Amino acid sequence: MSKRMKDKVVIVTGGSKGIGRSISEIFAKEGAKVLVTARNEKEAKDVVESIANTGGEASYFLADVSKQDDMENMAKTCIERYGKIDILCHNAGIFPETRLEDMTLKEWDLLMDVNLKGTFLATKACMPHMIENKYGKIVITSSITGNKTGIAGLAHYAATKGGVNGFIINAAVELAKYNINVNGVAPGNILTEGMKSQLGDEYIKAQSEAIPMGRMGSPENIAYAALFLASDEAEYITGQTIIVDGGQILPESQFAAK
Ligand code: NAP
C-alpha cells in the first residue's frame, strides 16, 4: 500500500454513509487522519470503528452543515485533535424528490440550506487555517444533475448542485494564491443508502438501464476520484469538476445507449 495520504488530515462532511463513508475509509486506508462528520452518532461511530479495526486513524464530530456554529466548531475540533486541516472533502447532501407542482418553499429552502449554504459554511470554516498554512485541498461532491442533466422531482436539488459548480470555479480563483485547490466530483447514479431511501427501487432500475456501463456506480468510484483531486499529483488542477458516471451523460437517448 502506497499510503498517499500519510501525514495528511482530512475532514469528510457526510462521512458516515454512502459516498462519504467510502471517502473516509479510503483516505484512512491511504494513511490520512480522518474527522468524520454527520448529524447521527450511530453511523459516524460505526465508520470510525471500522477504520480503527483496519489500522487507520479516525474520530467523529457531530455537526449539521447548514449551521455556521457547527461548521466553525468542526474546523476548531479538527485542529485541536490533529493540529491542522489539509483537506476538506465536503460531501454532505440530501436529494428528496418533489415535483415542482408540489414543492413548498420549506422544501426548497431546506435543499438550499443543506446543499448550497452547507458548501459555503464548510469551506468558510476551514479556509482561514488553510490560508495560514498556505496549503489546502477542497473537494466538493457535486452532481451531474443540475450541471449536465435534469430529473423530474429534483429541481431544487439541481439548483443547488448547479450553484455548487459555480462556487467551485469562483472559490478556486480566489484561493489559488494561497496554494488551495478547489475541485469537485460530479457523481452520476451511485448506489448508496441515500439513493435507496430517497429515490427507491423503480428509480434505480430505470436509471441503471440508461447508463452505458449498465449499472450504477459504487461509492468507491467517487472516493477514488476525490482521492486523486486531494492528492499532490493533482496540484495544478483547480476549479474543475470531474464527472464519474459510467457514461450516463453521453448517449443522445436511451435508444442510443443500447
Ligand atoms: P447518503 O447515503 O444519504 O449519505 C449522506 C451523508 O450526508 C450522511 O453521512 C448524512 O449523515 C450526511 N448528511 C445529510 N444531511 C446532513 C446535514 N444537514 N449535515 C451534516 N451531514 C448531513 O448520500 P449519498 O448518496 O452518499 O450522497 C452523498 C453526496 O453525493 C451528496 O452531496 C449527494 O448530493 C451527492 N450525490 C449522490 C449521488 C448518488 O447517486 N448517490 C449522485 C450525485 C451526487 P446524517 O444523516 O447522519 O447527517
Side-chain angles (χ1 to χ4, degrees):
M1 179 58 65
S2 61
K3 300 279 184 200
R4 295 162 73 186
M5 289 291 155
K6 188 171 173 299
D7 300 327
K8 298 285 193 239
V9 173
V10 58
I11 294 177
V12 185
T13 68
S16 66
K17 282 193 274 187
I19 292 169
R21 178 174 179 135
S22 190
I23 294 175
S24 300
E25 289 175 341
I26 284 169
F27 275 68
K29 201 166 87 181
E30 291 288 344
K33 296 182 179 81
V34 184
L35 185 70
V36 174
T37 82
R39 291 162 307 169
N40 295 299
E41 188 163 24
K42 189 178 168 295
E43 289 100 350
K45 206 169 167 189
D46 188 61
V47 66
V48 165
E49 281 170 8
S50 139
I51 287 172
N53 288 340
T54 51
E57 191 171 345
S59 62
Y60 66 85
F61 180 77
L62 299 182
D64 184 330
V65 294
S66 66
K67 302 207 165 103
Q68 187 166 21
D69 285 355
D70 283 14
M71 290 299 91
E72 285 171 359
N73 287 331
M74 170 187 83
K76 203 166 137 239
T77 301
C78 186
I79 294 163
E80 280 166 9
R81 285 187 197 166
Y82 301 119
K84 58 180 182 164
I85 308 166
D86 294 306
I87 302 160
L88 166 67
C89 286
H90 175 61
N91 164 81
I94 51 171
F95 37 94
E97 209 183 347
T98 320
R99 298 272 170 151
L100 274 174
E101 289 96 320
D102 305 317
M103 194 177 288
T104 62
L105 181 59
K106 202 172 162 201
E107 287 169 322
W108 172 268
D109 283 345
L110 175 67
L111 271 280
M112 297 302 139
D113 282 350
V114 176
N115 293 2
L116 197 50
K117 191 161 85 183
T119 300
F120 165 65
L121 292 177
T123 304
K124 184 95 174 131
C126 296
M127 256 174 60
H129 175 79
M130 291 177 171
I131 290 174
E132 201 182 309
N133 249 13
K134 288 264 184 300
Y135 183 92
K137 309 278 182 193
I138 299 174
V139 182
I140 301 172
T141 311
S142 180
S143 180
I144 57 169
T145 307
N147 290 299
K148 296 287 179 189
T149 60
I151 305 177
L154 289 179
H156 50 357
Y157 175 81
T160 66
K161 294 297 185 174
V164 162
N165 276 26
F167 179 84
I168 288 169
I169 293 168
N170 280 267
V173 170
E174 280 192 39
L175 298 180
K177 66 177 177 221
Y178 302 114
N179 193 31
I180 299 171
N181 304 60
V182 187
N183 290 295
V185 181
N189 278 280
I190 310 299
L191 208 47
T192 62
E193 289 96 323
M195 161 76 69
K196 286 177 211 158
S197 65
Q198 294 177 83
L199 299 174
D201 289 342
E202 196 189 338
Y203 173 93
I204 291 171
K205 185 172 178 293
Q207 287 286 19
S208 303
E209 284 166 6
I211 299 170
M213 286 191 180
R215 59 182 160 79
M216 293 218 160
S218 69
E220 290 74 22
N221 294 149
I222 306 306
Y224 278 111
L227 183 73
F228 169 65
L229 289 172
S231 73
D232 288 332
E233 286 92 334
E235 66 172 9
Y236 205 55
I237 301 174
T238 199
Q240 302 304 309
T241 300
I242 298 181
I243 293 171
V244 182
D245 72 343
Q248 175 147 19
I249 65 161
L250 303 176
E252 293 175 15
S253 66
Q254 250 176 293
F255 176 77
K258 298 283 173 215

